Structure formats: C-alpha cells, structure tokens
Amino acid sequence: MSKLQPPPLTLLDKYRGEEFQPLYTATVMVEGGEAAHGRASGIARSDDGALRVDLRLPPELGGPGGGSNPEQLFAAGYAACFHGALCLLAAKAGLAIPDATVKAAITFGRDPVDGLYALAAHITIRLPGLDRPVAEELVRNTERLCPYSKMARQGMHSVVVLTE
C-alpha cells in the first residue's frame, strides 16, 4: 500500500463551466434494521463497501445510544471537508498547520419557522502557531472553499425521487 498523501493543489483551480460538474458521488443506502426505522436501528452501507455503520437514536432523543446517528455522520463529513480545504489553502499559502483541528457540532432541534425540525452547525477551528490575523484570513477563505460551509450558508440542490 502506498503512503497516504494530501490531494493536489490543482483542486484549487477555478472551474469556468456553465453547469455543475460532478467529480465524485458517494452513495449510501440505509435499511431500517430491527425496529424498521433508519434512525432508530438502521444500517448504513456505502455502495463500494467501505462504510458500514449501525445507526441508533441517542439517549437525548429517547433511544439507547450505542451507535452512530445522522448528526454525528454529518459532523464528521463537515469537519473532514473543512479541515481538508483548510490544509489545501494553507499549503498554497506556504503555511504549515500540522496541529490544526476542526470540530463540528451539529445540533438537531425544533424549527420555530414551521414547528418541525432543523439542524444548526457550530464549527470550531484551532490553528496553533499561526498569528491571529493570518489564521482569521485562512478560516474566512476556507469558508468560501468548503462545500459544506457553502451548503450551510446557501442551501444545496436536492432532488427526491420515489422509485419502485
């Protein structure tokens, strides 16, 4: 197995097309499991077999815990994506950030607009060793680059389709 490497800086090159250009699609299917409920007892599997996660309701939502939940998975994706974008921009700027951390807290709660549910995200970045103004600029630029941040700010294109 080859040594893991960060992605190339060419990922920072601007795209000038007129339509969305897909680069990668992750596909995950969730089955209901024992309780026939994806959130309470689901099993999430990626189509390539790399991911298999048992889903459980956390105690705060009346469940037993003991498994992952959608908010944890979303937080992991958000934090990983933001960290990756942060590292790309730091490398392009010639900044070393080997001890950088990104923590994503995703909160599931009631939406006062419609009385149903909504998510809130709180992202905390730690950049030890960088001067504050440099760190702030790097974080601002990362917010513009990270697609999770963009989605949280602008929403995302979403299509829901019923199949047989």
Side-chain angles (χ1 to χ4, degrees):
M1 176 181 246
S2 62
K3 182 180 176 194
L4 295 176
Q5 297 290 322
L9 292 180
T10 55
L11 284 179
L12 294 174
D13 294 347
K14 293 246 179 174
Y15 169 63
R16 305 264 184 234
E18 295 191 21
E19 295 185 21
F20 179 75
Q21 180 189 35
L23 299 176
Y24 167 73
T25 300
T27 304
V28 174
M29 181 182 294
V30 172
E31 298 172 6
E34 181 181 332
H37 189 282
R39 207 167 157 69
S41 64
I43 302 159
R45 291 185 184 93
S46 62
D47 63 346
D48 66 0
L51 177 74
R52 188 206 179 280
V53 179
D54 291 329
L55 301 171
R56 298 296 179 266
L57 273 173
E60 296 85 350
L61 296 178
S68 295
N69 60 65
E71 293 73 33
Q72 288 173 328
L73 298 173
F74 183 63
Y78 198 152
C81 188
F82 199 98
H83 192 283
L86 187 72
C87 290
L88 276 173
L89 290 174
K92 184 175 183 180
L95 300 170
I97 57 167
D99 299 322
T101 61
V102 175
K103 184 191 315 183
I106 303 297
T107 302
F108 174 82
R110 289 297 198 160
D111 186 347
V113 174
D114 63 11
L116 298 174
Y117 302 99
L119 297 175
H122 185 93
I123 311 304
T124 305
I125 298 99
R126 207 174 137 269
L127 293 169
L130 280 188
D131 290 335
R132 184 79 185 188
V134 173
E136 287 173 350
E137 181 180 0
L138 182 59
V139 169
R140 274 194 312 275
N141 290 333
T142 302
E143 281 186 280
R144 291 182 191 106
L145 176 63
C146 173
Y148 279 76
S149 290
K150 186 185 274 186
M151 178 185 62
R153 202 173 49 253
Q154 300 174 350
M156 70 180 277
H157 178 75
S158 177
V159 176
V160 178
V161 177
L162 175 64
T163 63
E164 293 183 48

